Amino acid sequence: MMMEHKQTILLAPSLSNSSCWRSGTSDAAWTGPGPGELIRAALILLLSLGILCANLLVICVINSRQYSKYIHAQPRYLLTSLASNDLAIGLLVTPFGFLPAVYGCWPYGEVVCQIQALLRGALTQQSAVILVCMAIDRYVCMLHPHRYHKHSSKRYYMRQGCVAVMSTTWIASVAIFGVLVLPRGGYYFNGSGLLACDPFFARASLRILACCCFYFPTTMVLMYCYGSAFHVNKLRLKRVVCVNTPEVVSGGHIERLVAHERRLSTSASRTMAAMSLGFIVMVTPWTIQEVVAACTGSKPPPFLDFLATWLALSNSFWNPFLYWLLNNHFRRISREFLYTKILCRSKPLGTKQHCCSTSTGGLDVCSIAGIDLSGLERCSMERCSMARCSSLSLTNTPPLPWETGHVTHGDVAST
């Protein structure tokens, strides 16, 4: 009896039973939605719009010229890949749950259901793979900065390497889930959780294996890489320098540039670690539910199934939100982008934009004699806040190499 139970093969529910158009009839099987169905549909619609808008903003901002001085090439490629994958989830997966949430049936047909199940599995797995690549990148950058800089300085090869890795992993994810989903009976309409089509596993052991391979290796790699990186950074066992500036710095200015680059690397690592932590928090309830349901052979309550599934999918929205929350440069450039490109208004000007410049690799330098050193604005010395500019003592510090030819010691002394 035990052997027979282990070899039990499950059959996927027939899609015709969940279709809004019953086979052999011309009448729709739709019923009027109630308040619960409307709330579910509203949540799905808002989440889909949030995923689309947030990830489009991330892609546009981090690849803009204004933001290029605040991020290195390798993290930019990886963050763009993650945002593109999340954008695909918000475009090809989550919106298809809107009508089923309202009417409780599948209105799009069997072929769309099959494609939906394939994309649901492949895109979700690809998100985990990209997060792992980001963690490994931060691990190498903070523990082996010289090796990282040696390879990251070759931008063309790094870009080609990122494209090759992302393409290979994407093809592998599609191939694995294609083997599971493309045969008939490899997909079904999940009317309580996703409210769309999911991959169907004929054996409970395969369902447990798929969940564990998705969750546990990803979590272990993320925790190890970021834990080791921040431990080394805290103890300062190495001087982390990930240089991304063409200026030649010599003398006493190298310490300032080293400190700036260390802050830049630590800030990027902290943001990526927060996104990875968000992934773990959001996906854990869904993983526990899937493993328990497969082990016990039971079906979770519809409310809990819906909550756990869509909480895991909402990770595609929280990734851009966490990046916006933890990165002030991203917030500032995002506001400029929204004002100038979307609302067609003039750039919003703040106190720091009037009086201080970050075009020198993030080092704040006040305008002198009414001229902004960035060459972007003209402003008076009276409008410069001493609190913002007191971090640089211009009277005691010789001019930076990029300041020569514009500001002399006599000019500084006269101010």
Side-chain angles (χ1 to χ4, degrees):
M1 293 297 294
M2 292 296 294
M3 293 299 295
E4 291 180 1
H5 179 71
K6 289 184 179 180
Q7 297 298 325
T8 299
I9 298 178
L10 305 176
L11 297 178
S14 177
L15 185 63
S16 59
N17 295 332
S18 302
S19 176
C20 294
W21 300 93
R22 306 298 187 189
S23 58
T25 63
S26 59
D27 297 330
W30 292 355
T31 58
E37 287 77 11
L38 294 178
I39 293 175
R40 290 191 309 179
L43 291 176
I44 292 174
L45 181 61
L46 292 176
L47 180 61
S48 300
L49 292 176
I51 292 174
L52 289 174
C53 297
N55 286 282
L56 277 175
L57 182 64
V58 169
I59 294 173
C60 294
V61 171
I62 66 175
N63 289 282
S64 63
R65 189 172 64 178
Q66 294 89 339
Y67 194 73
S68 61
K69 55 180 170 288
Y70 303 118
I71 189 172
H72 299 110
Q74 185 81 347
R76 184 173 73 247
Y77 300 147
L78 293 173
L79 287 170
T80 302
S81 300
L82 181 62
S84 301
N85 191 83
D86 291 338
L87 181 66
I89 292 176
L91 187 64
L92 303 175
V93 175
T94 57
F96 285 85
F98 177 73
L99 287 181
V102 175
Y103 299 106
C105 55
W106 180 253
Y108 303 111
E110 189 164 353
V111 176
V112 177
C113 181
Q114 193 174 25
I115 297 174
Q116 176 80 4
L118 175 63
L119 292 176
R120 153 71 167 156
L123 289 173
T124 305
Q125 183 63 47
Q126 185 68 6
S127 295
V129 171
I130 297 174
L131 288 173
V132 169
C133 293
M134 290 167 53
I136 295 175
D137 173 79
R138 293 295 88 195
Y139 177 85
V140 176
C141 178
M142 301 188 73
L143 269 72
H144 308 283
H146 300 292
R147 185 189 307 173
Y148 183 87
H149 169 58
K150 179 180 178 181
H151 293 285
S152 62
S153 60
K154 304 174 183 178
R155 295 189 179 183
Y156 175 77
Y157 297 102
M158 294 302 297
R159 181 170 63 251
Q160 296 300 321
C162 284
V163 172
V165 171
M166 294 299 104
S167 301
T168 303
T169 54
W170 167 247
I171 293 173
S173 299
V174 172
I176 292 173
F177 280 93
V179 172
L180 297 172
V181 172
L182 292 182
R184 189 174 184 85
Y187 53 92
Y188 77 108
F189 172 68
N190 187 347
S192 60
L194 181 64
L195 297 174
C197 289
D198 256 342
F200 182 81
F201 300 97
R203 291 182 174 86
S205 58
L206 291 178
R207 184 179 180 182
I208 297 173
L209 180 62
C211 293
C212 292
C213 289
F214 167 72
Y215 178 78
F216 288 105
T218 305
T219 303
M220 293 173 63
V221 172
L222 294 179
M223 295 179 67
Y224 175 78
C225 289
Y226 287 114
S228 301
F230 286 117
H231 178 69
V232 170
N233 183 70
K234 183 178 180 180
L235 298 178
R236 296 186 179 180
L237 298 178
K238 293 182 180 291
R239 294 175 62 88
V240 181
V241 182
C242 300
V243 179
N244 189 33
T245 179
E247 290 87 355
V248 178
V249 183
S250 61
H253 306 297
I254 185 65
E255 288 80 6
R256 289 161 56 193
L257 184 59
V258 166
H260 164 65
E261 292 295 337
R262 182 184 292 114
R263 289 193 300 270
L264 187 64
S265 177
T266 304
S267 176
S269 301
R270 187 182 297 112
T271 303
M272 292 181 179
M275 296 167 67
S276 300
L277 180 61
F279 167 83
I280 296 173
V281 171
M282 297 297 174
V283 174
T284 297
W286 176 82
T287 305
I288 296 175
Q289 172 190 278
E290 290 292 300
V291 173
V292 170
C295 291
T296 60
S298 60
K299 191 174 182 180
F303 173 75
L304 292 180
D305 193 10
F306 174 82
L307 185 62
T309 303
W310 284 92
L311 187 65
L313 287 175
S314 68
N315 181 66
S316 298
F317 169 76
W318 294 113
N319 285 334
F321 178 77
L322 290 173
Y323 197 80
W324 179 87
L325 185 66
L326 299 175
N327 194 306
N328 58 343
H329 298 302
F330 179 80
R331 290 197 301 271
R332 176 175 58 83
I333 297 177
S334 297
R335 287 194 294 266
E336 294 178 3
F337 179 83
L338 293 175
Y339 269 83
T340 57
K341 303 298 183 181
I342 306 300
L343 301 179
C344 297
R345 297 180 180 179
S346 59
K347 183 188 298 186
L349 298 177
T351 306
K352 188 170 182 176
Q353 287 177 308
H354 274 295
C355 301
C356 299
S357 167
T358 55
S359 62
T360 57
L363 300 175
D364 292 342
V365 180
C366 277
S367 60
I368 299 175
I371 301 176
D372 188 351
L373 295 182
S374 65
L376 298 177
E377 298 281 348
R378 292 185 62 88
C379 59
S380 61
M381 192 63 183
E382 291 76 14
R383 301 177 66 180
C384 184
S385 172
M386 297 304 297
R388 290 183 177 271
C389 303
S390 60
S391 59
L392 276 181
S393 179
L394 296 178
T395 58
N396 298 326
T397 304
L400 295 172
W402 51 79
E403 295 175 0
T404 57
H406 300 281
V407 181
T408 64
H409 289 281
D411 296 330
V412 176
S414 63
T415 60

